[in-house]
Amino acid sequence: DVKVTQSSRYLVKRTGEKVFLECVQDMDHENMFWYRQDPGLGLRLIYFSYDVKMKEKGDIPEGYSVSREKKERFSLILESASTNQTSMYLCASSFRVVLVLGTDTQYFGPGTRLTVL
Amino acid sequence: AQKITQTQPGMFVQEKEAVTLDCTYDTSDPSYGLFWYKQPSSGEMIFLIYQGSYDQQNATEGRYSLNFQKARKSANLVISASQLGDSAMYFCAMREGNSGGSNYKLTFGKGTLLTVNP
């Protein structure tokens, strides 16, 4: 079974703090993703990585950065947390090279509910 | 224009009955994939079922089946014999382009909240 884990289920931070959200997958997936989920807005892609040290901006990268030093780990960094970054953050991973259609399915972690006060 | 439309914000179903959750999509790419995910109140997104644009048959996974009508651009999820544990948010998503490679991006609908009544 695919397992994607996230470092915290709940996190409370103060405005201006630097925040690290960690994600680890054990399926040797090349692709890893960070999304945020807000009521009425659905899931929105923040950043994507298709290989170690490689990253691409998603739809809403402003205020975020990422780090991928190892294949299994993908970190989301909030350099200076703000209240509008209070949200549910979801990490996902998938294969990049597929031999069977559909096996690029993205598998998600349990999510981190971040509150910025 | 929205690429994925789920018109039912909420649905109710009696336990043991079947329910259909609607999803329509918009793409001009001949190659695409459609996914359904379930999100319980705990927050985790659970993959349920996949349908490729070239698949001749509707996808099925246990109690889940996908009613794929390509000409109408609809990919409705059918859950048979509903259980209380099926109560959750359900999301339809689409990946445009061929599987794998750089065509990674999933576009999600806004979701449908399903409540199963005993």
Side-chain angles (χ1 to χ4, degrees):
Chain A
D1 279 352
V2 176
K3 194 157 180 69
V4 181
T5 58
Q6 294 182 228
S7 51
S8 305
R9 293 299 304 273
Y10 300 93
L11 207 54
V12 179
K13 295 292 182 180
R14 296 207 175 273
T15 302
E17 280 192 76
K18 191 169 185 175
V19 182
F20 292 86
L21 302 183
E22 303 285 336
C23 175
V24 177
Q25 51 92 6
D26 67 356
M27 279 301 294
D28 205 31
H29 285 164
E30 297 91 345
N31 294 340
M32 294 190 76
F33 310 83
W34 275 107
Y35 295 87
R36 65 176 283 176
Q37 183 180 19
D38 301 286
L41 297 177
L43 273 80
R44 293 178 291 168
L45 181 65
I46 305 172
Y47 265 100
F48 156 68
S49 169
Y50 56 89
D51 202 349
V52 174
K53 297 191 186 295
M54 306 304 290
K55 62 184 179 184
E56 285 189 16
K57 293 180 180 179
D59 299 319
I60 50 165
E62 296 78 20
Y64 303 94
S65 62
V66 290
S67 171
R68 187 144 182 224
E69 297 296 319
K70 293 184 178 182
K71 189 176 185 179
E72 68 271 18
R73 187 179 298 268
F74 191 32
S75 301
L76 180 69
I77 303 156
L78 287 65
E79 295 288 341
S80 178
S82 63
T83 54
N84 63 13
Q85 292 178 310
T86 291
S87 185
M88 174 71 146
Y89 290 87
L90 291 160
C91 174
S93 69
S94 71
F95 284 117
R96 180 169 176 78
V97 178
V98 297
L99 299 178
V100 177
L101 290 176
T103 55
D104 62 334
T105 298
Q106 292 185 25
Y107 293 92
F108 286 78
T112 296
R113 293 186 187 274
L114 172 66
T115 302
V116 183
L117 301 175
Chain B
Q2 287 189 7
K3 293 211 170 191
I4 295 286
T5 303
Q6 295 181 252
T7 57
Q8 308 151 314
M11 287 283 285
F12 293 88
V13 66
Q14 287 298 122
E15 196 178 5
K16 298 180 185 176
E17 290 185 354
V19 63
T20 298
L21 306 183
D22 293 342
C23 173
T24 57
Y25 58 92
D26 181 26
T27 181
S28 57
D29 199 315
S31 179
Y32 53 89
L34 297 158
F35 302 80
W36 276 92
Y37 287 87
K38 170 186 177 181
Q39 188 178 41
S41 56
S42 59
E44 183 174 359
M45 294 281 282
I46 302 166
F47 167 69
L48 296 177
I49 196 166
Y50 165 83
Q51 179 84 45
S53 58
Y54 296 118
D55 292 345
Q56 295 296 314
Q57 293 187 325
N58 288 342
T60 60
E61 287 286 348
R63 294 187 299 111
Y64 303 108
S65 61
L66 204 151
N67 184 1
F68 182 46
Q69 298 186 42
K70 197 169 181 177
R72 297 180 59 188
K73 292 189 175 180
S74 75
N76 299 338
L77 177 70
V78 181
I79 305 174
S80 63
S82 297
Q83 301 172 355
L84 295 178
D86 293 336
S87 293
M89 197 76 169
Y90 288 81
F91 291 94
C92 179
M94 176 174 64
R95 184 251 306 124
E96 295 176 273
N98 290 322
S99 190
S102 61
N103 297 306
Y104 58 88
K105 185 174 179 180
L106 284 182
T107 303
F108 285 84
K110 298 289 176 65
T112 295
L113 181 62
L114 176 67
T115 302
V116 180
N117 294 317

